[in-house]
């Protein structure tokens, strides 16, 4: 152990910290020019009703379509965007594109958009989202905002008023990654959520350990008695989907139903389901 520690220390003095900072600065600089250049795109992950198998919406997940490095995942840029004050701009770009791309889809298809803890400190967040809906002509009742518990823990006061403003406009609000944050049950009582999303960590292990199964079962019952629909995230195979179906009425998403897709593949999926209204892609491209 002493040897390993010594080795780590050597790496530290070798300048791993500097390399980390350099990398961060590189990402930040890339974002500063990549956001206005339109390099950040919404990808769409199918959300289905587990009982009927019917598609009811998509979660919107940001991807950086980097001209040299290819598609970059959110864990490489969301935290940096939060730390250097770019998250609001990034979020607006991705949301605007998703609203424009999604507005001609079947009216039963909703979009779920993730909001960062840092954005919940902005008292004008709800007004900004509502303005974006008006500008893009996307209906409020087809939008769901996903908020994590950690975000609430930091800013309960502002979060509460943002959620109220959103709901007054007919926008739904979901509690994301439920079960991983702090004082979950107090939040459920204090805030009028429209949906609870069970974190992937419980779902993926549901057929491996009985604790996960018990937790998913308990959250499902809680949601049912509070009148909040449940979504299980991270459903990777049919076995897990079947176990969840046995626990009650819920929605689900995960690789079993489809990975996050770029707009082209998403439109093909919707066309196959006859859930696309006829507007040309060129028209959409022009407005974007
Ligand atoms: P999240 O909101 O919990 O999103 C679900 C994540 O789980 C996505 O990762 C999705 O690709 C992944 N996932 C879905 N199904 C499965 C599955 O069956 N198995 C496994 N192993 N993973 C699955 P992704 O796209 O990498 O996003 C990671 C996180 O980044 C998201 O977690 C969300 O918190 C954040 N994020 C993504 N886009 C945005 C955005 O536009 N704004 C903000 N603020 N955060 C975002
Ligand atoms: Mg989410
Ligand atoms: Mg989640
Ligand atoms: Mg999660």
């Amino acid at each position: 152990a002493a040897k390993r520690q010594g080795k780590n220390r050597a790496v530290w003095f070798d300048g791993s910290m500097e390399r980390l900072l350099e990398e961060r600065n590189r990402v930040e600089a890339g974002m500063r020019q990549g956001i206005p250049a339109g390099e950040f795109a919404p990808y769409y992950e199918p959300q289905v009703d587990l009982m009927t198998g019917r598609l009811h919406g998509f979660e919107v997940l940001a991807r950086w379509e980097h001209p040299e490095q290819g598609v970059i995942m959110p864990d490489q840029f969301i935290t940096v965007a939060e730390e250097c004050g770019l998250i609001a701009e990034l979020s607006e770009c991705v949301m605007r594109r998703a609203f424009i791309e999604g507005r001609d889809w079947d009216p039963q298809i909703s979009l779920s958009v993730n909001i960062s803890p840092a954005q919940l400190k902005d008292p004008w967040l709800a007004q900004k989202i509502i303005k974006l809906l008006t500008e893009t002509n996307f209906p409020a009742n087809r939008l769901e905002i996903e908020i994590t518990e950690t975000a609430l823990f930091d800013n309960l006061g502002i979060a509460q008023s943002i959620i109220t403003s959103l709901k007054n406009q007919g926008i739904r609000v979901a509690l994301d990654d439920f079960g991983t944050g702090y004082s979950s049950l107090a939040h459920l009582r204090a805030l009028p959520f429209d949906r609870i999303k069970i974190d992937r960590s419980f779902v993926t292990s549901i057929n491996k350990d009985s604790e996960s199964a018990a937790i998913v079962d308990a959250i499902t019952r809680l949601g049912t008695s509070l009148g909040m629909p449940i979504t299980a995230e991270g459903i990777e195979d049919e076995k897990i989907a079947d176990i969840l179906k046995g626990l009650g009425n819920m929605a689900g998403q995960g690789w079993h139903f489809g990975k996050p897709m770029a707009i082209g593949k998403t439109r093909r999926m919707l066309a196959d389901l006859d859930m696309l209204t006829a507007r040309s892609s060129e028209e959409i491209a022009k407005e974007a």
Side-chain angles (χ1 to χ4, degrees), residues 92 95-96 99-100 103 125-141 143 169 171 287:
E92 189 189 319
M95 251 193 277
R96 183 186 298 277
F99 293 165
I100 291 170
R103 72 181 160 204
L125 178 68
Q127 284 67 30
K128 288 175 183 170
I129 293 173
I130 292 157
K131 184 162 169 266
L132 209 49
L133 288 173
T134 311
E135 284 171 12
T136 57
N137 201 21
F138 188 89
N141 65 5
L143 176 62
Q169 297 292 318
I171 298 164
E287 291 170 62

Side-chain angles (χ1 to χ4, degrees), residues 40-155:
F40 289 81
Y43 274 44
Y44 300 96
E45 179 174 310
Q47 298 177 316
V48 305
D49 177 334
L50 287 189
M51 294 302 153
T52 61
R54 199 182 58 84
L55 178 78
H56 70 78
F58 293 97
E59 179 166 0
V60 174
L61 296 158
R63 296 288 182 269
W64 187 353
E65 296 180 331
H66 196 282
E68 283 115 43
Q69 293 169 48
V71 177
I72 302 176
M73 302 298 281
D75 61 327
Q76 303 293 307
F77 60 83
I78 293 286
T79 311
V80 179
E82 287 170 346
E83 287 171 3
C84 59
L86 287 170
I87 189 69
E89 201 187 326
L90 169 68
S91 181
E92 189 189 319
C93 277
V94 172
M95 251 193 277
R96 183 186 298 277
R97 259 174 91 165
F99 293 165
I100 291 170
E101 290 172 350
R103 72 181 160 204
D104 67 327
W105 300 349
D106 188 294
Q108 291 181 46
I109 299 292
S110 62
L111 291 181
S112 301
V113 173
N114 294 284
I115 291 296
S116 281
Q119 294 175 273
L120 281 185
K121 292 185 185 125
D122 176 5
W124 297 104
L125 178 68
Q127 284 67 30
K128 288 175 183 170
I129 293 173
I130 292 157
K131 184 162 169 266
L132 209 49
L133 288 173
T134 311
E135 284 171 12
T136 57
N137 201 21
F138 188 89
N141 65 5
R142 288 181 53 209
L143 176 62
E144 186 170 82
I145 296 292
E146 298 191 4
I147 297 172
T148 62
E149 296 186 83
T150 338
L152 300 173
F153 192 71
D154 292 341
N155 323 285

